[in-house]
Structure formats: C-alpha cells, structure tokens
Amino acid sequence: MAVFSTSDFKNGLKVMLDKDPAVMIENEFVKPGKGQAFNRVKLRNLKTGRVIERTFKQNETLESADVADVEMQYLYNDSTDWHFMQPESFEQYTAKEDAVGDAKKWLKEQDVCIVTLYNGSPLSVTPPNSVVLKIVETDPGVRGDTSGGGGKPATMETGAVVRVPLFVQTGELIKVDTRTGEYISRVKE
Amino acid sequence: MSKSSSEADWQPSCGQDALRIRALTLNRIRRFFDGRGVLEVETPLLCHTAGTDPQLHPFVTHYRQPGQTQGIDCYLQTSPEFAMKRLLAAGSCSIYQICKAFRNEEYGRHHNPEFTLLEWYRIDFGLVELIDEIEDLFLVLFDGMRALLPSKRITYRQLFEQWVGADPISADFAELAECAKRQNIPEASSICGKDRNIWLDLLFSHLVQPNMEQGRVYFVYDYPACLPSLARKKLGDEAVVERMEVFIDGLELGNGYHELADPDEQESRFDADLAVRRQLGLPLPPKDQRLLAALSHGLPDCSGVAIGLDRLIMLMAGFDQMAQVLAFPVTRS
C-alpha cells in the first residue's frame, strides 16, 4: 500500500482516514515564522460524504486508499440493486442504493457515468454533468411564452423533478445539468 | 511538466497593478526610513553559516575559490539578522535592509521558499518604540490602498487565554489537550505530545489567528519564555521574553525583539537549538562565531523587526494568495 507524506498532499488525493476512504479537498500549509509546520487538511469521507477537518504535523503520513474512478455504462435497476458495466471488459458491477445515492434520479439506461470503486466494489456513482431526459408529466404551458420567466415543475422519466420554462411540454426531451438540477435546453429528437 | 502548462507558465502570476503597488511600497519604505535617519544597508545572501533554528531549513550550496576542486558548504540566508547585528556592533547607526531570504520546505498560499524581507534595527529603542514605528510605517504604506482599523496591542497570554481558554505558560498538557478537543482538534494530543512549543504553535495558529478581527493590526507581545528566539528575557518577569509579532487579517507579518545582546546566552540558545536538531536528525549547521564575537565586542541596546513584504503587499492590495503579488513564484521561477 502506498503511503503519502504531508509533502505529497494535494487536492484529489485518495487516502484512508479513520479506516474509511476519503478524498482530499483542501490542503493549507500553515507555519508560524519561527515555529512548527502543519498541514491543515479538509477531506471528504467517500462513504458518508461528510467533510472532516484534520491537522497533520510535517512528515506525518496517510495510507493511500484503493479507490478508482471508472467510466461505466448504466444497465438497469432490478428494484434493489443498480447494475453497471465496464464497456471495454464487459465486466458487470452491482451497486446498492446507498452507493448510488442522489445519482439515481439522473441515471438513464445506456448512459455512461463514473462509478467509484473501493477495493473493487462500487462506493459511489457520479452521473454525467448533463443528461438528456424525457418529460413524462408537466402542466400544459401558456401559448406564446418563450421567456421561461417563472417556469413550472416537470417530472422526468427517471423520477427527477426539474423546473422548466412554460413552453416545454410533456413528451419532449430536455437537457439537464445534474450538478445543479437545472434545465439547460430543449433537445430535438 | 506538460507542454500546455509550460506555455502559460512564462507569464507572471501577478497583474500589472501588483507590480506598481510593489514599486510604490519600496519607494515609500525608503522615504520613510531616510526621513528618520535610518541607513539602508546590504549584507550577503550567501553565507558561511545558517541560523540554528530547528524549524528553518536553509538552502545549502557549494562554494569553490577559483581553481579549487573541493569547496565548502555555504548557505542562502534565512534572515539577515546576524550580519546586521555585526554592523550594529561595529558602530553603525540604526539600519534597515530590504532583501531576499530563502527557506526550504516552505510553500503554500502564504509561503514561497524565496521571499522579500524588510528588516530594521533601532538603537536605544525598546519594544514599545519599535511597535510605534511599525504602526507609523503601516499608516504610510496602507495610505490610499486599504483602510485599517485602529491597531490593538495585547499580550500573548491574554490573547491565548481569550481564544484557547487556557494559560499558555502554566497550563499542563492535559489541560491544553482538553481545550483542543473541545474546539474540534482531537488529533492535537498525538501531534504535540509533551512539546509545549508545538502545542503553542498549533493552538495559536488554529484557534487564535483565525479569530483576529479582519482589517485590524494586532501587536502581540510578551511571548512565553519557551519561545525566546533572539529576544532578551524580560526584567522582572521570567515567564516571558521581550518578543512581539504583528498580524493583519490573522496573518503573521513579522517578528520583533528587544535584541538579545549577551554572547553567553546567545551561545546557549544555539546549543539548545542544535540539541533539538540532533534529536530530530536534522543537519547541524556551524554556530555563527562571527556573531558571537560581535556580541562579545558589544551590541548596542536595540530593538529590531523583520516584516514579510510579499505578505504585506498582498494584504495592502486586498488579495489572499501571495502568488497574486509575486511576478514569478517558485512554481514559475
């Protein structure tokens, strides 16, 4: 297992912290002019999503975490598990609901997303930054409205609810930003 | 280094405004000290000795006389302090210097291994007069840049008690550990162990500095005797030394001392530093015998301070990264 010293610390580093995998999201070098140097670090626990602040003395170490981000195709959901496939190897992976988390409302079959593996098992799923989804239900809009001023809620085929402009109708395809949950544009079929 | 990054890396990391603020600042500093009869001096960056401070890691290089194949180790200075004291001992008047200092293993948002120091020494000044002068200088330098709140002068002990909740000098390790735990730094105990200096460095940097009011200059004085650096002991209070530090926005800008003049005390501090270095397995630089000789000859009663100019300019310009006021930080040098 690789070991990282404070001088290797940087954002994005995947390490073991309190027996859980975590990713470094902030690393500040703190040193009084005549005093001891520290690294003040923020890490996100990859299991719980919790952000932890931790201080290390110079030359302290952390073990690397066996964590990898892998592009996979989302196959289907069998009501308890979500199934993914690595396109090159055709190897399939099964993710539990707590690993899929909020990503589930953006997952459309065949879409390619990032599955984070920890010791070979799915730990979390990151949907593509934008997805194209079909609207299955929304109130009929007001004719002639093109500004989208106030907007209205629309339910997607995946169950997600997105605020869309009034002119967008049931059955249409729209592009949505999964990071903000916001409508981007209509998409022609 | 990838091609795309090296293509952008030739550019300075600061803007044109930062270059102008730096030039103006250097100009104002020189006018300020010239007007007060303080002499500008230069001392070597390349030195035969380095400070013994266990927390400073000097750059070591190799010096050969012409034709020599075997040379000797030389150091890039970590501060011009010793050379300037030799000038004072040799009979100079009050002096100031603007120079580069080099410290290895220091890089971050507020650190660059090569940085600019403004250091000055005032004969017959105590710490109070020195603090008055730093305050006057900051008024001049911040004029037209950024408004500062009236400054605050407070002892290390008061400030530490206020934000940490313990006395930095008398609290035992269990009490310090309790304070750290209460304030969400449970790992402090394993980091600091039974080393009071590391305890104070950690708690001050994590709990005190972030709580300093934005825009206010803090002059913190009467440092605990376990953090003496090159300050003299305070007469009548053995628990503290005549050391001060100045902060703005919670960022350390400088260290000042009523300067230690006793050569025996100086040598025993060298020895104490070297003992710590030996214990930590760090290199053992030679003691600066020329400084000790100068102190034996006689250092006039004086106070001195070193201010990190890059940080000061960063704060004047309202930035929060030193790279925003450096033409080329080490990543682009």
Side-chain angles (χ1 to χ4, degrees), chain A residues 31 33 51 56 66-67 72-73 75 84 92-93 102 149 152 165 175 178 181 187:
Chain A
K31 184 183 186 303
V51 172
F56 298 88
D66 178 15
V67 171
M72 289 194 204
Q73 196 171 43
L75 299 178
F84 298 86
Q92 292 197 17
Y93 291 84
D102 273 351
K152 59 182 181 179
K175 190 189 258 189
T178 61
V187 177

Side-chain angles (χ1 to χ4, degrees), chain B residues 194-237:
Chain B
K194 299 208 179 310
D195 187 325
R196 181 171 299 269
N197 291 9
I198 301 182
W199 267 112
L200 298 187
D201 284 342
L202 188 144
L203 294 172
F204 198 88
S205 61
H206 285 57
L207 300 178
V208 179
Q209 286 177 242
N211 280 309
M212 289 181 181
E213 214 179 325
Q214 294 287 306
R216 194 182 293 289
V217 186
Y218 282 69
F219 294 102
V220 183
Y221 61 96
D222 278 1
Y223 268 61
C226 62
L227 301 171
S229 205
L230 300 171
R232 60 173 73 184
K233 289 175 178 160
K234 187 161 176 164
L235 276 178
D237 187 355

Side-chain angles (χ1 to χ4, degrees), chain B residues 27-203:
Chain B
N27 198 307
R28 283 176 167 180
I29 291 169
R30 293 198 160 99
R31 262 187 295 169
F32 179 87
F33 285 114
D34 291 350
R36 291 177 176 227
V38 182
L39 184 72
E40 180 165 16
V41 296
E42 283 187 4
T43 57
L45 301 183
L46 186 65
C47 304
H48 282 91
T49 59
T52 52
D53 196 316
Q55 307 295 354
L56 294 184
H57 309 295
F59 284 87
V60 187
T61 183
H62 215 60
Y63 167 60
R64 288 190 304 273
Q65 289 187 25
Q68 245 182 353
T69 48
Q70 284 196 329
I72 49 166
D73 280 347
C74 273
Y75 305 85
L76 294 182
Q77 68 163 5
T78 56
S79 129
E81 186 151 8
F82 294 170
M84 290 180 82
K85 283 182 180 167
R86 284 163 58 193
L87 288 179
L88 290 162
S92 79
C93 57
S94 293
I95 49 178
Y96 78 99
Q97 171 160 217
I98 298 168
C99 64
K100 288 294 183 90
F102 302 84
R103 296 179 184 178
N104 214 341
E105 297 179 42
E106 297 193 9
Y107 178 72
R109 199 151 61 94
H110 297 142
H111 291 84
N112 194 54
E114 168 184 355
F115 60 101
T116 304
L117 270 182
L118 162 65
E119 181 147 338
W120 76 95
Y121 292 85
R122 291 294 245 144
I123 294 169
D124 292 332
F125 269 34
L127 267 195
V128 174
E129 292 86 358
L130 185 69
I131 290 173
D132 289 343
E133 189 158 80
I134 300 169
E135 194 165 13
D136 291 345
L137 176 68
F138 282 6
L139 277 179
V140 170
L141 298 184
F142 277 78
D143 181 41
M145 301 279 173
R146 180 182 163 192
L148 291 175
L149 298 168
S151 70
K152 181 172 186 140
R153 301 183 187 197
I154 186 167
T155 67
Y156 186 98
R157 203 169 196 166
Q158 280 177 296
L159 199 58
F160 193 94
E161 276 177 342
Q162 182 182 347
W163 294 108
V164 178
D167 184 307
I169 296 162
S170 66
D172 61 22
F173 296 125
E175 197 181 340
L176 295 174
E178 193 49 48
C179 293
K181 208 170 155 188
R182 206 166 44 231
Q183 304 217 41
N184 215 13
I185 322 175
E187 66 273 27
S189 301
S190 68
I191 292 176
C192 306
K194 299 208 179 310
D195 187 325
R196 181 171 299 269
N197 291 9
I198 301 182
W199 267 112
L200 298 187
D201 284 342
L202 188 144
L203 294 172

